[in-house]
Amino acid sequence: MMLGSVLNPVNSSIISVSLVPIGAAFGAPPSQTAWLVSALYLATAIGQPVVGRLIDLYGPRRLFLAGATLTGIAGVIGLLAPNLGVLIVSRVVLGFGTCAGYPASMSLIRSEARRTGRDSPAGILAALAVASQTVAVVGPPLGGLLIGLGGWRTTFAVNIPLAVAGLVLGVRRLPKASPKGRAGRGVRLDLPGMALFAAMLVSLLLFLMEPRSDRWYLPVLVALAAAGFAVRELRTDEPFIDLRVFGGNPPLLLTYGRALLTSVVSYVFLYGYTQWLQDGRGLTASQAGLAQLPLFLTGIAVSSVTGRRAEVRGKLLVGGVAQIAVCVLLLLLQPHSAVWLLIAVALVFGVPQGLNNLALQNAVYHQADPERMGASAGLLRTFLYVGAMVASSANGAFFGARADTAGLHGLAWFMLAVAGLFLALTVVDRSLGRIGSGDSSSSQEPQQRKASTT
């Protein structure tokens, strides 16, 4: 489960230190290499809830193995790509291939908890959070190491052995069938709903990539697709995303909102700060990756220490304050800032990286309808990657031809506003206090079943 869950976040972050050498290799400007980031986000944001719903219906094994296969194929395409276009295709294939790991893991954990009667496996959820989110920050240092050893193509080729390992472990360890999977064969897929959902997200993300006035038609398409999607899901008996259940579950909707906000802050930092380290501070790709290593270590340590506690509200409050603190530190950075200050920035940002994602995952685990855990977990990733696209747009808006210090400070003010909203949503949401109190799961499941029948 951990191996499958780590593939998507690591690949989403490892590219951050590869963009400059890839652009140099193919003579492509930053506006073109940015598609390597956006292509993965587009495929992932659409694929996560779709694959999650398929897992809900058919069980995790087949979807996990198919995803691992696509991941390996994407690694081969990226290793051999003759031009930037083919490289972008490999990222699309990679996005769809890595969609199954996380929702499959959440579905397995939930079904096993129900089978054994041992709910809220906080230690397992903590390990999964480390694998699926916190490990994302190992991408830049790993990418810098791989580039130093064998060039930027190694950042794509690394998916081949990971995919093989996923296939071997999946064949040996994942359950071959489940009652839910056999029952799912009689359920019709909501293909029109999936198509409208995809059209809505594609239009939204394309606009976020380049939000210009001459692309006014994209928000219109978003609104039309969203309206069509809502009508379809409310009228069909077997919806792709049951809007009636989500509408009756405000705590889950707030969790998705916080996921989007914290993702904006995380990915602005991950991409904007990493680019500034190279362009504004003058570090090499390998040095910029190593400068992020304290963030990775702090995130792992924080998740490990706090992971066995199921409570989420305190984690989100501390994580929100830490996000604000990091924004203040970014405002202090200058082109010749001392190395100790760079280390301090990474150390402080490791705190929210280790707390927020773990708390959001635990919240979804307790708040979501158990019968739709795969789709709900997939939607969590969708909101995270929509936030990543907003972050990508912000980086493009504040950075010009290069990632200079003035642009970094502008990003810091933007992050500060988003982090403040995240903290405010956490403070006012009293429902978070019930998670981890000992009766959250048992008290919410009846409400979820009631909502699903209304």
Side-chain angles (χ1 to χ4, degrees), residues 171-434:
V171 168
R172 290 176 58 87
R173 304 301 300 175
L174 291 180
K176 293 184 179 180
S178 66
K180 180 172 62 175
R182 289 192 294 269
R185 294 171 189 168
V187 179
R188 291 185 304 170
L189 290 176
D190 180 19
L191 296 179
M194 292 180 178
L196 287 167
F197 180 80
M200 176 180 66
L201 277 187
V202 168
S203 301
L204 174 63
L205 298 181
L206 286 176
F207 179 74
L208 289 175
M209 287 166 55
E210 294 183 73
R212 304 192 310 265
S213 59
D214 62 343
R215 295 160 66 89
W216 59 267
Y217 57 91
L218 289 174
V220 174
L221 290 177
V222 172
L224 292 175
F229 176 71
V231 171
R232 167 68 187 180
E233 300 306 278
L234 291 173
R235 291 184 176 180
T236 185
D237 294 331
E238 298 169 357
F240 161 48
I241 297 175
D242 196 335
L243 297 181
R244 289 163 293 192
V245 172
F246 283 106
N249 195 346
L252 182 60
L253 296 179
L254 285 173
T255 293
Y256 287 147
R258 279 187 292 270
L260 188 150
L261 293 173
T262 195
S263 177
V264 171
V265 176
S266 294
Y267 281 96
V268 165
F269 183 89
L270 185 64
Y271 288 106
Y273 179 64
T274 302
Q275 291 183 68
W276 176 83
L277 286 174
Q278 296 178 69
D279 284 348
R281 183 59 176 73
L283 302 184
T284 65
S286 298
Q287 291 171 337
L290 288 174
Q292 301 281 42
L293 189 59
L295 192 163
F296 165 65
L297 297 175
T298 304
I300 293 292
V302 169
S303 292
S304 300
V305 170
T306 64
R308 291 191 175 274
R309 297 183 60 85
E311 295 86 350
V312 302
R313 191 166 189 267
K315 295 174 185 174
L316 291 173
L317 288 173
V318 174
V321 172
Q323 285 185 147
I324 292 175
V326 121
C327 296
V328 174
L329 287 176
L330 290 178
L331 291 171
L332 301 178
L333 292 177
Q334 297 297 330
H336 303 291
S337 291
V339 173
W340 68 264
L341 183 55
L342 305 182
I343 296 174
V345 169
L347 286 172
V348 174
F349 196 73
V351 174
Q353 192 69 23
L355 290 176
N356 290 347
N357 294 313
L358 172 60
L360 291 169
Q361 177 182 272
N362 285 343
V364 169
Y365 178 83
H366 289 282
Q367 294 167 341
D369 179 359
E371 297 300 322
R372 289 178 172 268
M373 181 56 66
S376 298
L379 273 175
L380 176 64
R381 282 290 182 86
T382 295
F383 277 90
L384 289 171
Y385 284 111
V386 170
M389 289 301 302
V390 174
S392 179
S393 297
N395 287 336
F398 284 97
F399 286 149
R402 57 190 300 271
D404 57 15
T405 302
L408 179 68
H409 289 170
L411 281 174
W413 284 111
F414 172 74
M415 292 167 63
L416 191 60
V418 176
L421 182 57
F422 173 91
L423 184 59
L425 283 182
T426 303
V427 169
V428 301
D429 187 1
R430 299 298 180 182
S431 68
L432 294 173
R434 295 195 295 269

